[in-house]
Amino acid sequence: MEKLVNGINVEQVFNTIEFVKQHPEVARFKFRAHNSWVDGTHTQATVKDFYGGMQEDDTREAMVFEMDEPPILCGKNLGANPVEYFLAALSGCLTTSLVVHAAAKGIEVKKVTSRYEGEIDLRGFLGLSEEVPVGYQHIEVSLTIEADIPTEQKVELIMMAQKYSPVFNTITRSAPVSVYLEE
C-alpha cells in the first residue's frame, strides 16, 4: 500500500532517487515553452512537450499562459505580466520543493502559504539609465507553514526548499541564456 504524506507517494520518491542513483542519465530533462505575440503587449506562451526519463513526452494537453501588461504599462490586463509569472514560477517551485522534502522526512504539512514581492525600477527597461538594472533588484519571499513541528524545523524546511528548488537556484546562480534569431 502506498504511503502518502502531503499528497506525495513517499515510496515513489525514494524509488525514483534510488533508480536515478543507478541510472543518472534518466535525470536529464528539457522543459520547453513556445511564445507567440498576439497584439500590443499581449503574448501567449504554450507549454506541452518535454524531454525526460530518456524520451520525448507530448502526452499532456497544451497549457496556454496569457501575458499582458497593466494599462499603466501600455497593456490591457489580458494576463499577468511576465515578471509576475516569474514570481509565480518561483512560488510554485519553492512550495513544491518544501512539501516534497517534508514528505520525504515524514513531516505532515497542513498548509503552506507564501507571498512574493519583487522590486523593479523601469528606468532600466525603458533605457533611461545604464545604472539601473533591467530586472528585479530585490525579491522578498515570506512563507507560512502550518505543521505540528517546532519553528526550527519549519526554518529547516525553508532552507531545504531553497537548496533544492530549480527556479530559486536558477535565479540565484544565473544560468546562462543563449538568445538567437531562427530563420
Side-chain angles (χ1 to χ4, degrees):
M1 180 167 195
E2 52 182 54
K3 179 182 178 192
L4 295 178
V5 178
N6 306 328
I8 307 291
N9 181 333
V10 177
E11 184 179 343
Q12 183 181 7
V13 170
F14 287 116
N15 288 342
T16 300
I17 291 168
E18 287 306 312
F19 189 79
V20 170
K21 281 182 185 177
Q22 300 298 316
H23 308 280
E25 64 277 4
V26 172
R28 298 196 182 279
F29 277 67
K30 285 186 182 181
F31 292 101
R32 303 177 182 110
H34 302 271
N35 187 281
S36 295
W37 172 63
V38 179
D39 183 53
T41 60
H42 182 201
T43 67
Q44 291 178 329
T46 303
V47 173
K48 182 177 181 357
D49 61 309
F50 65 93
Y51 175 87
M54 299 179 57
Q55 62 186 1
E56 289 292 328
D57 186 326
D58 66 354
T59 58
R60 63 185 178 176
E61 293 293 318
M63 291 166 260
V64 177
F65 298 83
E66 300 289 339
M67 289 179 269
D68 197 7
E69 298 291 339
I72 195 169
L73 296 175
C74 304
K76 297 177 182 164
N77 275 335
L78 298 173
N81 74 19
V83 294
E84 290 168 322
Y85 270 111
F86 183 86
L87 292 177
L90 177 61
S91 73
C93 200
L94 278 173
T95 301
T96 299
S97 297
L98 187 150
V99 170
V100 169
H101 284 277
K105 290 175 140 297
I107 299 170
E108 291 190 30
V109 175
K110 296 175 185 171
K111 185 176 182 180
V112 177
T113 57
S114 51
R115 185 173 188 281
Y116 297 75
E117 185 171 276
E119 294 177 19
I120 289 182
D121 183 332
L122 291 182
R123 291 178 296 163
F125 168 74
L126 295 171
L128 299 175
S129 173
E130 293 294 322
E131 289 78 46
V132 176
V134 175
Y136 279 124
Q137 295 164 340
H138 178 77
I139 297 172
E140 187 172 293
V141 178
S142 63
L143 291 110
T144 302
I145 303 168
E146 289 182 26
D148 294 328
I149 57 174
T151 299
E152 298 78 31
Q153 272 191 290
K154 291 177 183 179
V155 170
E156 183 182 316
L157 289 176
I158 291 171
M159 299 303 286
M160 288 180 77
Q162 292 174 79
K163 182 176 180 178
Y164 296 113
S165 163
V167 174
F168 180 86
N169 281 276
T170 300
I171 295 167
T172 59
R173 296 185 180 168
S174 297
V177 177
S178 302
V179 179
Y180 59 91
L181 174 64
E182 186 174 302
E183 294 190 87

